[in-house]
Amino acid sequence: MPQTGVVTRALVLGGGGVAGVAWETGLLLGLAEAGGELAADVVVGTSAGATTAAQLTSGVGLPELHRRQSDPAAQVAELVPTVSLMALLDEITARTDGLVDPADRRRAIGALALAADTPSPAARRAVIAARLAGAGWPADDLRITAVDAVSGDVRVFTAADGVDLVDAVAASCAVPGIWSPVEIEGRRYVDGGAASTNHADLAAGATAVLVLSPMQPDRAPELADEVARLRDTGADVEVVHPDEASVVAIGPDPLDPAVRTASAQAGRRQAAGLSLRWTRPGR
Protein backbone atom coordinates (compact mmCIF):
# COMPACT_ATOMS: atom_id res chain seq x y z
CA MET A 1 0.00 0.00 0.00
CA PRO A 2 1.21 3.55 -0.69
CA GLN A 3 2.49 5.36 2.37
CA THR A 4 -0.29 7.24 4.13
CA GLY A 5 -0.08 11.00 3.79
CA VAL A 6 2.59 10.94 1.06
CA VAL A 7 1.33 11.77 -2.41
CA THR A 8 3.32 10.36 -5.31
CA ARG A 9 2.00 11.16 -8.76
CA ALA A 10 2.29 9.06 -11.89
CA LEU A 11 1.40 10.13 -15.42
CA VAL A 12 0.67 7.30 -17.87
CA LEU A 13 0.70 8.18 -21.56
CA GLY A 14 -0.78 5.53 -23.84
CA GLY A 15 -0.42 4.59 -27.47
CA GLY A 16 -2.42 5.94 -30.37
CA GLY A 17 -0.25 6.81 -33.36
CA VAL A 18 0.91 10.26 -34.39
CA ALA A 19 -2.62 11.47 -33.68
CA GLY A 20 -2.21 10.23 -30.12
CA VAL A 21 0.99 12.23 -29.65
CA ALA A 22 -0.79 15.36 -30.88
CA TRP A 23 -3.91 14.78 -28.76
CA GLU A 24 -1.91 14.07 -25.58
CA THR A 25 0.22 17.17 -26.13
CA GLY A 26 -2.83 19.34 -26.71
CA LEU A 27 -4.56 17.94 -23.65
CA LEU A 28 -1.53 18.54 -21.45
CA LEU A 29 -1.18 22.12 -22.67
CA GLY A 30 -4.88 22.74 -22.05
CA LEU A 31 -4.59 21.37 -18.52
CA ALA A 32 -1.59 23.60 -17.84
CA GLU A 33 -3.40 26.64 -19.23
CA ALA A 34 -6.26 25.91 -16.83
CA GLY A 35 -3.83 26.16 -13.94
CA GLY A 36 -3.24 22.45 -13.50
CA GLU A 37 -0.13 21.03 -11.83
CA LEU A 38 1.55 18.60 -14.24
CA ALA A 39 4.68 17.61 -12.31
CA ALA A 40 4.89 13.83 -11.96
CA ASP A 41 7.15 11.58 -9.92
CA VAL A 42 6.86 8.85 -12.57
CA VAL A 43 6.06 9.13 -16.29
CA VAL A 44 5.16 5.95 -18.20
CA GLY A 45 5.15 6.03 -22.01
CA THR A 46 3.96 3.40 -24.46
CA SER A 47 4.16 3.74 -28.25
CA ALA A 48 2.84 7.23 -29.07
CA GLY A 49 2.93 7.89 -25.35
CA ALA A 50 6.67 7.14 -25.35
CA THR A 51 7.18 10.03 -27.75
CA THR A 52 4.96 12.34 -25.70
CA ALA A 53 6.66 11.29 -22.46
CA ALA A 54 10.16 11.87 -23.83
CA GLN A 55 9.16 15.27 -25.17
CA LEU A 56 7.36 16.27 -21.98
CA THR A 57 10.39 15.46 -19.82
CA SER A 58 12.88 17.08 -22.24
CA GLY A 59 12.66 20.54 -20.70
CA VAL A 60 10.93 22.03 -23.75
CA GLY A 61 7.79 23.92 -22.73
CA LEU A 62 4.32 22.68 -23.58
CA PRO A 63 3.46 25.70 -25.76
CA GLU A 64 6.41 24.87 -28.03
CA LEU A 65 5.64 21.14 -27.99
CA HIS A 66 2.05 21.92 -28.95
CA ARG A 67 3.22 24.23 -31.75
CA ARG A 68 5.28 21.37 -33.17
CA GLN A 69 2.08 19.30 -33.37
CA SER A 70 -0.46 21.92 -34.40
CA ASP A 71 1.52 24.13 -36.79
CA PRO A 72 2.13 22.35 -40.13
CA ALA A 73 5.27 24.43 -40.64
CA ALA A 74 6.75 23.10 -37.40
CA GLN A 75 5.73 19.47 -37.75
CA VAL A 76 8.31 16.73 -38.20
CA ALA A 77 8.19 15.01 -41.59
CA GLU A 78 6.72 11.59 -40.83
CA LEU A 79 6.87 8.43 -42.91
CA VAL A 80 3.44 7.51 -44.24
CA PRO A 81 2.44 3.87 -43.64
CA THR A 82 1.82 1.80 -46.75
CA VAL A 83 -0.29 -0.69 -44.81
CA SER A 84 -3.85 0.04 -43.73
CA LEU A 85 -4.21 0.08 -39.95
CA MET A 86 -7.50 -1.80 -40.15
CA ALA A 87 -5.95 -4.44 -42.41
CA LEU A 88 -3.10 -4.79 -39.95
CA LEU A 89 -5.46 -5.19 -37.00
CA ASP A 90 -7.36 -7.86 -38.94
CA GLU A 91 -4.12 -9.75 -39.59
CA ILE A 92 -3.07 -9.52 -35.95
CA THR A 93 -6.48 -10.83 -34.90
CA ALA A 94 -6.18 -13.74 -37.32
CA ARG A 95 -2.69 -14.63 -36.08
CA THR A 96 -3.58 -14.45 -32.39
CA ASP A 97 -7.08 -15.92 -32.48
CA GLY A 98 -7.26 -18.86 -30.09
CA LEU A 99 -4.04 -18.00 -28.27
CA VAL A 100 -4.86 -17.84 -24.57
CA ASP A 101 -1.40 -17.19 -23.12
CA PRO A 102 -0.56 -13.47 -23.46
CA ALA A 103 3.09 -14.34 -24.08
CA ASP A 104 2.07 -16.57 -27.01
CA ARG A 105 0.06 -13.67 -28.41
CA ARG A 106 3.01 -11.33 -28.09
CA ARG A 107 5.32 -13.83 -29.79
CA ALA A 108 2.85 -14.22 -32.67
CA ILE A 109 2.74 -10.44 -33.11
CA GLY A 110 6.52 -10.33 -32.94
CA ALA A 111 6.78 -12.98 -35.67
CA LEU A 112 4.49 -10.88 -37.86
CA ALA A 113 6.74 -7.87 -37.29
CA LEU A 114 9.94 -9.75 -38.06
CA ALA A 115 8.55 -11.08 -41.36
CA ALA A 116 7.01 -7.83 -42.59
CA ASP A 117 8.39 -5.71 -45.42
CA THR A 118 8.82 -2.32 -43.76
CA PRO A 119 10.74 0.94 -44.33
CA SER A 120 14.41 0.86 -43.38
CA PRO A 121 15.17 0.99 -39.66
CA ALA A 122 17.54 3.93 -40.31
CA ALA A 123 14.80 5.99 -41.98
CA ARG A 124 12.41 5.31 -39.14
CA ARG A 125 15.02 6.09 -36.48
CA ALA A 126 15.66 9.42 -38.16
CA VAL A 127 11.99 10.30 -37.74
CA ILE A 128 12.07 9.45 -34.03
CA ALA A 129 15.30 11.43 -33.57
CA ALA A 130 13.67 14.44 -35.23
CA ARG A 131 10.66 14.13 -32.91
CA LEU A 132 12.91 14.23 -29.86
CA ALA A 133 15.15 17.00 -31.23
CA GLY A 134 18.26 15.96 -29.31
CA ALA A 135 16.55 15.13 -26.01
CA GLY A 136 18.29 12.62 -23.76
CA TRP A 137 17.11 10.73 -20.73
CA PRO A 138 15.80 13.21 -18.15
CA ALA A 139 16.42 13.28 -14.43
CA ASP A 140 12.74 12.39 -14.08
CA ASP A 141 11.70 8.75 -13.59
CA LEU A 142 10.78 8.01 -17.22
CA ARG A 143 9.73 4.47 -18.15
CA ILE A 144 9.43 3.42 -21.80
CA THR A 145 7.85 0.09 -22.77
CA ALA A 146 8.62 -2.31 -25.61
CA VAL A 147 8.18 -6.01 -26.37
CA ASP A 148 10.89 -8.49 -27.35
CA ALA A 149 9.79 -9.72 -30.79
CA VAL A 150 11.15 -13.25 -30.23
CA SER A 151 10.56 -14.02 -26.55
CA GLY A 152 7.44 -11.89 -26.13
CA ASP A 153 8.86 -10.46 -22.91
CA VAL A 154 7.95 -6.92 -21.94
CA ARG A 155 10.92 -4.64 -21.39
CA VAL A 156 10.78 -1.35 -19.55
CA PHE A 157 13.60 0.99 -20.55
CA THR A 158 14.85 3.58 -18.07
CA ALA A 159 17.85 5.86 -17.88
CA ALA A 160 19.64 3.23 -15.80
CA ASP A 161 19.81 0.86 -18.79
CA GLY A 162 22.27 3.04 -20.69
CA VAL A 163 20.21 2.67 -23.88
CA ASP A 164 19.93 5.69 -26.19
CA LEU A 165 16.56 7.37 -25.63
CA VAL A 166 15.93 7.54 -29.37
CA ASP A 167 16.33 3.77 -29.63
CA ALA A 168 14.06 3.14 -26.64
CA VAL A 169 11.32 5.38 -28.04
CA ALA A 170 11.73 3.94 -31.54
CA ALA A 171 11.32 0.44 -30.12
CA SER A 172 8.21 1.45 -28.20
CA CYS A 173 6.76 3.00 -31.39
CA ALA A 174 7.63 0.09 -33.73
CA VAL A 175 4.09 -0.83 -34.76
CA PRO A 176 4.28 -4.51 -35.84
CA GLY A 177 3.82 -4.93 -39.57
CA ILE A 178 4.21 -1.20 -40.26
CA TRP A 179 7.59 -0.22 -38.81
CA SER A 180 10.66 -2.41 -38.48
CA PRO A 181 11.56 -3.92 -35.09
CA VAL A 182 14.36 -2.01 -33.37
CA GLU A 183 17.57 -3.80 -32.41
CA ILE A 184 18.92 -3.01 -28.96
CA GLU A 185 21.71 -4.99 -27.32
CA GLY A 186 21.30 -7.82 -29.82
CA ARG A 187 17.53 -8.17 -29.28
CA ARG A 188 14.78 -6.89 -31.56
CA TYR A 189 11.88 -5.01 -30.03
CA VAL A 190 8.42 -3.99 -31.18
CA ASP A 191 5.74 -1.61 -30.00
CA GLY A 192 4.99 -1.74 -26.28
CA GLY A 193 1.33 -1.74 -27.31
CA ALA A 194 1.76 -5.38 -28.35
CA ALA A 195 1.43 -6.13 -24.64
CA SER A 196 -0.69 -3.24 -23.36
CA THR A 197 -1.84 0.01 -24.90
CA ASN A 198 -1.10 1.92 -21.68
CA HIS A 199 0.89 -0.23 -19.21
CA ALA A 200 -0.81 1.55 -16.33
CA ASP A 201 0.47 -1.22 -14.04
CA LEU A 202 3.88 0.46 -14.17
CA ALA A 203 2.42 3.23 -12.03
CA ALA A 204 2.07 0.80 -9.11
CA GLY A 205 3.20 2.45 -5.89
CA ALA A 206 1.90 5.89 -6.81
CA THR A 207 -0.96 7.30 -4.78
CA ALA A 208 -2.35 9.42 -7.63
CA VAL A 209 -2.36 8.25 -11.25
CA LEU A 210 -3.53 10.02 -14.39
CA VAL A 211 -3.87 7.91 -17.54
CA LEU A 212 -4.20 9.62 -20.92
CA SER A 213 -5.37 6.92 -23.33
CA PRO A 214 -5.79 8.03 -26.97
CA MET A 215 -7.40 4.70 -27.74
CA GLN A 216 -11.03 4.19 -26.73
CA PRO A 217 -11.80 1.45 -24.15
CA ASP A 218 -12.68 -1.15 -26.81
CA ARG A 219 -9.18 -0.71 -28.31
CA ALA A 220 -7.52 -0.89 -24.88
CA PRO A 221 -9.44 -3.70 -23.13
CA GLU A 222 -6.65 -4.43 -20.66
CA LEU A 223 -6.81 -0.94 -19.16
CA ALA A 224 -9.85 -1.65 -16.97
CA ASP A 225 -8.03 -4.48 -15.19
CA GLU A 226 -4.86 -2.40 -14.82
CA VAL A 227 -6.85 0.45 -13.25
CA ALA A 228 -8.68 -1.95 -10.95
CA ARG A 229 -5.39 -3.38 -9.69
CA LEU A 230 -4.02 0.10 -9.04
CA ARG A 231 -7.14 1.06 -7.13
CA ASP A 232 -6.86 -2.12 -5.08
CA THR A 233 -3.56 -0.72 -3.75
CA GLY A 234 -5.30 2.49 -2.67
CA ALA A 235 -4.28 4.60 -5.66
CA ASP A 236 -6.57 7.38 -6.86
CA VAL A 237 -6.74 6.72 -10.61
CA GLU A 238 -8.26 8.97 -13.28
CA VAL A 239 -8.50 8.03 -16.96
CA VAL A 240 -9.05 10.38 -19.89
CA HIS A 241 -10.00 9.15 -23.36
CA PRO A 242 -10.68 11.39 -26.37
CA ASP A 243 -14.11 13.02 -26.22
CA GLU A 244 -16.48 13.02 -29.19
CA ALA A 245 -14.86 16.02 -30.86
CA SER A 246 -11.38 14.54 -30.40
CA VAL A 247 -12.51 11.21 -31.83
CA VAL A 248 -13.69 13.04 -34.95
CA ALA A 249 -10.40 14.95 -35.17
CA ILE A 250 -8.30 11.80 -34.82
CA GLY A 251 -10.38 9.99 -37.42
CA PRO A 252 -10.25 6.31 -38.38
CA ASP A 253 -6.46 6.12 -38.82
CA PRO A 254 -4.37 7.54 -35.94
CA LEU A 255 -1.20 6.78 -37.92
CA ASP A 256 -2.10 9.40 -40.55
CA PRO A 257 0.24 12.41 -40.10
CA ALA A 258 -2.37 14.67 -41.71
CA VAL A 259 -4.57 14.59 -38.59
CA ARG A 260 -1.95 15.99 -36.19
CA THR A 261 -3.09 19.60 -36.30
CA ALA A 262 -6.76 18.80 -35.69
CA SER A 263 -5.91 16.26 -32.98
CA ALA A 264 -3.67 18.68 -31.08
CA GLN A 265 -6.29 21.40 -31.21
CA ALA A 266 -9.05 19.02 -30.14
CA GLY A 267 -7.05 17.79 -27.17
CA ARG A 268 -6.41 21.36 -26.05
CA ARG A 269 -10.13 22.18 -26.26
CA GLN A 270 -11.09 18.98 -24.46
CA ALA A 271 -8.90 19.91 -21.49
CA ALA A 272 -10.98 23.05 -20.90
CA GLY A 273 -13.93 20.89 -19.90
CA LEU A 274 -12.03 18.62 -17.53
CA SER A 275 -11.79 18.84 -13.76
CA LEU A 276 -9.14 16.41 -12.59
CA ARG A 277 -8.03 15.75 -9.04
CA TRP A 278 -4.56 14.80 -10.32
CA THR A 279 -3.84 18.29 -11.67
CA ARG A 280 -4.87 20.26 -8.60
CA PRO A 281 -1.97 22.47 -7.45
CA GLY A 282 -0.50 21.52 -4.11
CA ARG A 283 -2.02 18.08 -4.16
Side-chain angles (χ1 to χ4, degrees), residues 8-11 36-43 56 140 208 278-279 283:
T8 53
R9 291 149 44 92
L11 176 62
E37 172 59 62
L38 300 184
D41 301 290
V42 176
V43 181
L56 180 66
D140 311 64
W278 193 91
T279 62
R283 174 172 186 169

Side-chain angles (χ1 to χ4, degrees), residues 54-55 58 129 132-137 164-166:
Q55 292 174 335
S58 69
L132 301 189
W137 284 97
D164 191 294
L165 180 62
V166 172

Side-chain angles (χ1 to χ4, degrees), residues 64-272:
E64 172 59 17
L65 293 176
H66 183 265
R67 187 184 73 86
R68 295 177 188 177
Q69 296 297 324
S70 60
D71 180 356
Q75 290 170 347
V76 169
E78 295 278 349
L79 298 177
V80 178
T82 58
V83 178
S84 159
L85 178 62
M86 296 311 297
L88 173 64
L89 293 175
D90 287 344
E91 183 173 359
I92 289 175
T93 297
R95 285 179 177 245
T96 59
D97 188 40
L99 298 178
V100 177
D101 185 343
D104 287 339
R105 293 176 60 85
R106 296 193 295 269
R107 283 189 285 269
I109 294 171
L112 180 156
L114 291 169
D117 182 14
T118 56
S120 77
R124 177 61 176 166
R125 189 184 191 281
V127 169
I128 302 299
R131 287 183 187 176
L132 301 189
W137 284 97
D140 311 64
D141 186 350
L142 174 60
R143 305 173 187 181
I144 302 295
T145 69
V147 172
D148 188 306
V150 176
S151 71
D153 294 337
V154 176
R155 178 158 180 184
V156 182
F157 293 102
T158 69
D161 293 315
V163 170
D164 191 294
L165 180 62
V166 172
D167 291 328
V169 172
S172 190
C173 294
V175 181
I178 292 183
W179 310 125
S180 177
V182 174
E183 185 170 342
I184 298 175
E185 299 172 339
R187 308 293 300 182
R188 299 182 75 187
Y189 293 93
V190 298
D191 198 313
S196 167
T197 306
N198 297 280
H199 287 277
D201 279 357
L202 291 178
T207 57
V209 181
L210 175 60
V211 181
L212 303 187
S213 179
M215 290 296 204
Q216 295 293 350
D218 63 327
R219 292 285 186 87
E222 70 288 336
L223 180 57
D225 286 340
E226 292 172 359
V227 168
R229 289 193 290 271
L230 287 171
R231 287 175 175 158
D232 283 345
T233 70
D236 180 9
V237 186
E238 296 174 281
V239 179
V240 180
H241 294 283
D243 62 7
E244 184 175 350
S246 292
V247 169
V248 171
I250 291 170
D253 185 1
L255 300 180
D256 181 2
V259 304
R260 285 176 289 177
T261 295
S263 299
Q265 293 171 344
R268 187 178 184 180
R269 288 192 297 268
Q270 180 178 347

